[in-house]
Amino acid sequence: MASVEIPMPDDWHVHLRDDDMLAAVVEHTARWFRYGMVMPNLRPPVQTTAQADAYRRRILNRVPAALSHFQPQMTLFVSHDLDLDDLGRGIEAGIVRAVKFYPPGATTNSDQAKGDLGEFDELFGRLVEWNTQLLVHAESTRSDVDLFDREAAFLDDHLAAVCARHPKLGVTLEHVSTAAGVEFVRSNPNVVASITPHHLSRERADLLAFGMKPDLYCKPVLNTAADRDALVEAAVSGDGQFFLGTDSAPHPTTAKYGPNVAAGVFNAPYGLEVVAEVFHQQEALEELGKFVSLNGAAVYGVPPSVDQLRLTRREAQDTIPERLRTSSGEEVVFFGVEEARLWHIEAVA
Ligand code: DOR
Ligand code: ZN
């Protein structure tokens, strides 16, 4: 049976939510991940060091004692309300790890964002001084841009100019979803990209062609098979500019199954198995540790975990959990059940 040992991975992009959803989902990220880069798109968004610190404590309060290796890494939501002195203090104190830019209206709760990427030059100058990464949701919201071209348009219209004006600014192109995005990263040495398990393993036909699947609807939307292939190629290449960020984004079935489908794939439970299966299919399992454990840690300036996991392919299991229920009775569907049936993960003693 195929098998690989890797340092405990990090999830460099995750939505943990709050209250009873946080309580229900956090153990799924904490089970196999050391760090989680926690997105700030709550309502209201996480915008001050005090809010980040309080959110971090709420998260840690919900992590089961047996999973105390898990350490949330906090981010602040970019807007004109962001106080740069407060941000500087948060970074200095080790409470804030990065900032996240959302184009207004691009995705869940980003109606709260205000301002174009090009309006934050003062912030970007300070991020360079503080050696702190800018995390970018790269999607154009121009009404004349086709849905499937939104990432490429954002790179052309906004990110290219910011990278040219701030050549030392470290930028993470979050959940890169297209060949154009991969190409942009390769031609900009200070830009890196996170890639999700769903963008690596699915394409738009999976979403739309065999009965529309709300559980696969996310932003940026799954794109063409050729785009997915470019992402797979980047991930398995071992290139240090590409690493795992799951973008695990739980929504209750009441928000997923209806006339207005909420964007987000809940892949925290089985995201690692999905990525392992992609690497296995590419005969690249020996590169898995770079993508999920080493490359991102190097970008964010931390040593890899000293803990090790072993992943072993197995005969398909037929009974594994497929959804969870929150304390208020909401259900959330797990992504990647098919792949998870094929993999056993264990800590190496
Ligand atoms: O699909 C997504 N869901 N994309 C995002 O950028 C946000 C996320 C969420 O918070 O639900
Ligand atoms: Zn996200």
Side-chain angles (χ1 to χ4, degrees), residues 13 15 17 41 100 102 107-109 137 139 175 198 217-220 247-251 262-265:
H13 181 134
H15 299 268
R17 313 301 195 208
N41 62 333
K100 173 74 183 283
Y102 289 96
T107 187
T108 309
N109 293 344
H137 183 111
E139 256 193 293
H175 38 58
H198 41 291
Y217 176 63
C218 62
K219 297 300 289 300
D247 200 15
S248 178
H251 290 281
V265 172

Side-chain angles (χ1 to χ4, degrees), residues 99 101-103 116-121 124 127 133-140 142 150-176 180-188 190-194:
V99 299
F101 173 84
Y102 289 96
D116 272 358
L117 188 69
E119 296 169 17
F120 295 97
D121 281 331
F124 301 156
L127 292 178
Q133 200 78 1
L134 171 68
L135 315 182
V136 178
H137 183 111
E139 256 193 293
S140 174
R142 272 171 46 199
R150 286 184 175 187
E151 184 170 274
F154 185 91
L155 302 176
D156 287 351
D157 291 353
H158 300 285
L159 195 55
V162 166
C163 292
R165 281 206 301 284
H166 302 275
K168 296 200 171 128
L169 178 64
V171 175
T172 303
L173 170 48
E174 296 287 0
H175 38 58
V176 60
V182 169
E183 185 46 43
F184 186 88
V185 173
R186 291 210 166 111
S187 51
N188 283 276
N190 291 325
V191 179
V192 295
S194 60

Side-chain angles (χ1 to χ4, degrees), residues 207 211-217 250-266 322-324 330-335 337:
L207 170 68
M212 201 267 281
K213 304 285 193 306
D215 293 316
L216 294 181
Y217 176 63
H251 290 281
T253 49
T254 48
K256 287 300 267 181
Y257 305 155
N260 285 302
V261 177
V265 172
F266 182 52
E322 301 192 10
R323 53 180 66 206
L324 62 71
E330 297 270 31
E331 293 199 313
V332 185
V333 172
F334 295 0
F335 171 76
V337 171

Side-chain angles (χ1 to χ4, degrees), residues 1 18 104 131 164 215 345:
M1 283 288 174
D18 217 339
N131 193 23
D215 293 316
I345 306 180

Side-chain angles (χ1 to χ4, degrees), residues 217-230:
Y217 176 63
C218 62
K219 297 300 289 300
V221 70
L222 297 173
N223 221 301
T224 68
D227 289 306
R228 179 208 51 203
D229 293 348

